[in-house]
Amino acid sequence: MDPAGGCPHADNARLLAHGPVAPVVLPGEVEGMAVLGHDALREFLGHPDVAKGARHFTALAEGRIPEGWPLRTFATVQGMTTADDADHRRLRSLVSRAFTARRVEDLRPRVEAVIAGLLDGIEDAAAAADGGVVDLRRHYALPLPLGVICELLGVDAEHHDRLHRLSSQVVATDIGPEEAVAANRDLIALLSAIAAERAASPGDDLTSALIAAREEDGDRLGGPELIGTLLLLIIAGHETTLNLITNAVRALCTHPAQLAHVLEGRATWSDVVEETLRWDSPVSYFPFRYPTRDLTFHGTLIPKGTPVLAGYSAAGRDPAAHGPDAAQFDVTRPTPTKHLSLGHGPHYCLGAPLARMEATLALEALFTRFPTLTPATPNAELPRHTGFVGNSVRILPVRLTTGL
């Protein structure tokens, strides 16, 4: 795996041509596997003999993974993403009440208000900028999901920029050992301070609720589990939606006929979101899962204890699942679009309804107000996201034009 990331789709196509499961070399010469065919990934994500707990990671258990390994946090953080069975159900139940369909729908007016304010802001920024160019990722796609998840968690605005910077470093795969250790230390310290603020002054927010939460058997969320849960919610709660919105805008700007389908009523904004999730998944390869015994998927052996990447971006363009036109962006595909970009099985993304709502509302409002929005930099020249976990570009310069 290229630690520096880049556009994954050409490499994915080459790997898929050889089969749906592939051996890979992770940073630090750690041997792993990637499951990248759609059907193989769906089976793998739901398999009863595939675990998330770090105790199943053979190389880690044997002390062969150094402290500064860039992917170590994905394996060792305590929370839902590394819990199995009863522990996973316990942790998920403590958080799930904040992400029910009803609770998410109750957030709609707040999300719409945030979007309106951000659109005013980018219009002002474009008017003041040289050439009328504004970075849509920085000024729109980022502050919307980051602001919403931080508001849900009761995180003050003064922490937002630092949380984004540190969380981006924590999920980077091209970071050095000393930087990785420092980023994890600083992020944990910041989240601990935020939790302490909420414990001292509880409010009507999810962090306060998690601190106070007890299940029927009186089991309280442990300290490391609380910090791990906050880390997960901050990172997954904004990085995924940030990439989703960015990738959708890029897709529509480079496929004007597809944008016309939506503006003229032949497809919906929800169709755009689902097709973007399939065609240009916001997460490329997500670490880790481990077979608890030797398993064979689609003819390829994955030995017990191997760290396995879930290849979402590859599965989204798998011709075996999506047909010979899998590499084409088409918002008129039969619905519901079949994809795995928000997961499958017990660890299906808890925030999927919120991410879908934020992205749908953000795209509709953006293109309603600026229907002839145009890129200011050719798509091929945009710098890519560093690392092979997230999949997007780092900037999105555009020129705005207002609607009638």
Side-chain angles (χ1 to χ4, degrees), residues 219-391:
D219 189 18
R220 185 184 293 272
L221 195 68
E225 290 177 332
L226 172 64
I227 300 305
T229 298
L230 292 178
L231 185 148
L232 164 67
L233 292 171
I234 289 288
I235 294 178
H238 87 277
E239 290 279 357
T240 301
T241 310
L242 161 61
N243 289 347
L244 172 57
I245 295 171
T246 302
N247 292 355
V249 173
R250 288 173 50 239
L252 292 171
C253 286
T254 53
H255 297 81
Q258 299 299 312
L259 177 58
H261 285 321
V262 186
L263 295 177
E264 295 168 11
R266 292 188 293 274
T268 67
W269 294 108
S270 179
D271 294 331
V272 174
V273 169
E274 297 307 312
E275 179 66 349
T276 302
L277 284 166
R278 180 200 71 82
W279 183 75
D280 205 14
S281 172
V283 175
S284 191
Y285 286 90
F286 193 80
F288 288 116
R289 284 174 169 81
Y290 321 95
T292 57
R293 61 180 178 85
D294 289 354
L295 293 176
T296 299
F297 284 90
H298 295 248
T300 299
L301 172 68
I302 306 180
K304 174 184 176 181
T306 301
V308 181
L309 300 174
Y312 295 118
S313 64
R317 296 195 185 189
D318 182 1
H322 305 292
D325 65 343
Q328 297 179 17
F329 180 74
D330 181 3
V331 298
T332 65
R333 287 179 186 274
T335 53
T337 301
K338 181 171 60 174
H339 66 76
L340 299 169
S341 293
L342 294 172
H344 174 69
H347 287 270
Y348 181 78
C349 178
L350 194 62
L354 179 59
R356 283 185 163 109
M357 182 182 73
E358 288 177 333
T360 302
L361 293 176
L363 293 170
E364 181 175 12
L366 177 68
F367 285 98
T368 297
R369 190 152 170 179
F370 309 113
T372 55
L373 175 150
T374 56
T377 302
N379 190 54
E381 297 178 11
L382 294 172
R384 297 289 310 188
H385 198 294
T386 56
F388 55 77
V389 178
N391 172 43

Side-chain angles (χ1 to χ4, degrees), residues 17-106:
H18 292 283
V21 182
V24 296
V25 179
L26 301 168
E29 301 300 309
V30 176
E31 294 183 359
M33 300 288 284
V35 180
L36 48 140
H38 177 278
D39 291 347
L41 182 57
R42 182 181 174 89
E43 179 185 353
F44 183 77
L45 295 176
H47 199 285
D49 296 318
V50 172
K52 295 276 281 178
R55 65 187 179 89
H56 299 286
F57 185 176
T58 299
L60 181 68
E62 293 177 351
R64 293 187 279 119
I65 302 298
E67 186 68 27
W69 192 51
L71 296 170
R72 189 180 176 100
T73 296
F74 286 102
T76 60
V77 64
Q78 294 190 40
M80 287 182 292
T81 58
T82 56
D84 294 306
D85 304 324
D87 268 347
H88 176 250
R89 289 190 293 271
R90 174 177 61 86
L91 293 170
R92 193 174 176 99
S93 71
L94 291 171
V95 180
S96 61
R97 66 198 71 177
F99 293 97
T100 64
R102 179 176 178 180
R103 290 292 296 271
V104 169
E105 187 58 31
D106 288 343

